[in-house]
């Protein structure tokens, strides 16, 4: 799976990328992270990028394109990758298209996290607070002033990518204002829909298989539990179980019989109870 995560600073790209990594066994390639590491290590690229990054500007395309070009060749990126923070401009997107073509790699999708700009400052402030609470160093560019500049740069240079990828039928837009959990679920759902990720259906099939195996191993439990099921839909569970296993079929049939008997008893009982209600009884007695 090869993806791009698109969204303004603070839209949750990093968080969602981590989750995609855990779920799909791919790597997250964040140009921001790589550049910060280069700055920390004092490499020539780091020295070149340091001041640009601190002011919220963009590092020259040539540098980031080269970083990505080398990085996606490494063995851990074979199973796939998520690009986070790259491409950030149309020329970077064109360069990426070129280099993927050269390397015979196909991009599956571009996931755009759409958020209200008004929420971004609060999010970035929260991120800085949490980083401080963990005792880690806060990013130099996570300040309101720099964020404003980064947002302006996103609007003018990165947002045109939405049109770029939409035209190429790669764009999938997700509401980034939902909870982290909901955004993750939505991304999973759309990636599954385009056939880029194992989705719920596959996971459900797996758990259904596990459930069926369990019920086949414990027919007594099935029989015991079934009469307690609501009499309204007695056959529902049994029918799906029937489809799954012959052992479950037998248990389901027995359960249906028990439920039928039980509901008949309930019906008869309620008729009797109706006839012998206190009011009628008093009337009958008064008549007599
Ligand atoms: P990020 O962690 O993605 O917010 O990136 C932090 C900073 O790294 C940005 O504000 C830029 O200065 C620089 N940077 C990261 N990715 C790129 C890119 N694709 N092109 C240019 N500069 C980048």
């Amino acid at each position: 799976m090869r993806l791009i995560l698109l969204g303004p600073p603070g839209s949750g790209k990093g968080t969602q990328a981590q989750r995609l990594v855990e779920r799909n066994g791919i790597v997250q390639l964040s140009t921001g992270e790589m550049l910060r590491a280069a700055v920390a290590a004092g490499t020539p690229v780091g020295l070149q990028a340091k001041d640009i990054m601190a002011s919220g500007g963009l590092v020259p395309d040539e540098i980031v394109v080269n970083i990505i070009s080398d990085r996606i060749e490494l063995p851990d990126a074979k199973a796939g990758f998520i690009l986070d923070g790259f491409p950030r401009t149309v020329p970077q997107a064109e360069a990426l298209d070129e280099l993927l073509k050269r390397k015979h790699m196909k991009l599956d999708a571009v996931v755009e996290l759409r958020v209200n700009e008004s929420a971004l400052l609060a999010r970035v402030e929260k991120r800085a607070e949490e980083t401080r609470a963990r005792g880690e160093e806060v990013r130099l560019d996570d300040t309101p002033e720099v964020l404003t500049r980064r947002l302006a740069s996103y609007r003018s240079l990165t947002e045109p990518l939405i049109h770029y990828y939409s035209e190429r039928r790669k764009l999938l837009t997700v509401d980034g204002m939902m909870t982290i959990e909901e955004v993750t679920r939505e991304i999973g759902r759309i990636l599954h829909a385009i056939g880029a990720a194992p989705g719920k259906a596959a996971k459900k099939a797996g758990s259904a298989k596990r459930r069926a195996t369990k019920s086949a191993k414990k027919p007594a439990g099935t029989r015991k539990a079934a009469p307690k099921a609501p009499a309204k839909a007695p056959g529902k569970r049994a029918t799906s179980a029937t489809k799954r296993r012959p052992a479950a079929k037998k248990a389901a049939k027995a359960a249906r019989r028990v439920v039928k008997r039980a509901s008949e008893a309930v019906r008869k009982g309620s008729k009797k109870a109706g006839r012998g209600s206190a009011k009628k009884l008093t009337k009958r007695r008064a008549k007599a």
Side-chain angles (χ1 to χ4, degrees):
M1 188 201 294
R2 299 187 190 99
L3 300 176
I4 293 175
L5 271 182
L6 208 58
S11 58
K13 294 190 301 290
T15 308
Q16 295 302 331
Q18 275 168 18
R19 292 177 156 223
L20 282 162
V21 163
E22 281 162 24
R23 278 152 209 229
N24 300 287
I26 51 183
V27 285
Q28 172 189 5
L29 306 182
S30 155
T31 38
E33 286 293 328
M34 290 187 250
L35 288 168
R36 278 189 285 280
V39 171
T43 65
V45 165
L47 292 176
Q48 219 178 321
K50 192 176 178 188
D51 292 339
I52 303 172
M53 289 174 75
S55 67
L58 287 188
V59 172
D61 287 352
E62 196 198 331
I63 293 183
V64 282
V65 171
N66 281 339
I67 291 179
I68 288 295
S69 178
D70 292 344
R71 186 61 186 82
I72 60 177
E73 292 270 13
L74 296 186
D76 64 347
K78 275 267 171 333
F81 51 77
I82 305 163
L83 298 178
D84 162 12
F86 179 90
R88 247 176 164 98
T89 62
V90 171
Q92 285 184 16
E94 286 166 348
L96 177 67
D97 281 350
E98 238 343 277
L99 72 89
L100 288 179
K101 202 168 147 195
R102 227 176 28 241
K103 294 176 199 283
H104 306 288
M105 291 178 179
K106 192 183 140 278
L107 185 69
D108 291 297
V110 178
V111 178
E112 179 208 358
L113 296 179
R114 194 164 284 184
V115 287
N116 293 343
E117 269 198 19
S118 54
L120 295 177
L121 181 61
R123 280 191 181 189
V124 170
E125 276 174 347
K126 192 172 166 219
R127 176 163 76 190
E129 242 171 59
E130 286 169 353
T131 310
R132 234 174 271 124
R134 284 197 302 270
E136 293 167 17
E137 212 170 301
V138 177
R139 279 169 56 167
L140 286 174
D141 55 357
D142 264 356
T143 64
E145 302 75 44
V146 180
L147 178 71
T148 310
R149 233 169 294 146
R150 286 163 69 203
L151 270 178
S153 141
Y154 179 81
R155 245 179 270 125
S156 61
L157 298 169
T158 312
E159 244 172 29
L161 291 181
I162 293 169
H163 178 67
Y164 182 92
Y165 286 116
S166 159
E167 264 194 334
R168 284 156 182 77
R169 299 187 164 276
K170 291 282 180 203
L171 191 77
L172 303 169
T173 300
V174 170
D175 176 7
M177 296 307 293
M178 298 187 290
T179 63
I180 293 176
E181 212 38 69
E182 284 167 340
V183 174
T184 307
R185 225 175 298 137
E186 185 59 9
I187 294 177
R189 195 186 63 75
I190 55 172
L191 289 181
H192 171 62
I194 62 157
K200 254 190 179 175
K203 280 182 203 158
K204 262 191 183 170
S207 53
K209 209 172 165 188
R210 280 196 296 280
R211 271 203 308 278
T213 316
K214 249 188 178 176
S215 66
K217 274 183 192 164
K218 293 182 185 172
T222 320
R223 276 197 293 271
K224 222 177 176 183
K228 281 184 196 164
K232 264 188 254 162
K236 216 171 182 186
R237 257 196 257 172
T239 315
S240 52
T242 306
K243 278 184 192 161
R244 280 186 232 125
R245 291 230 163 200
K249 200 174 174 180
K250 265 190 179 175
K253 215 172 170 185
R256 263 202 307 273
R257 268 203 307 272
V258 176
V259 172
K260 204 175 166 193
R261 273 204 299 274
S263 50
E264 266 167 13
V266 170
R267 227 181 23 244
K268 278 180 191 164
S270 68
K271 263 190 188 170
K272 268 186 192 168
R275 263 188 258 131
S277 71
K279 228 178 180 178
K280 279 185 183 169
L281 213 65
T282 321
K283 261 189 184 172
R284 271 205 300 273
R285 270 183 196 157
K287 227 179 173 181

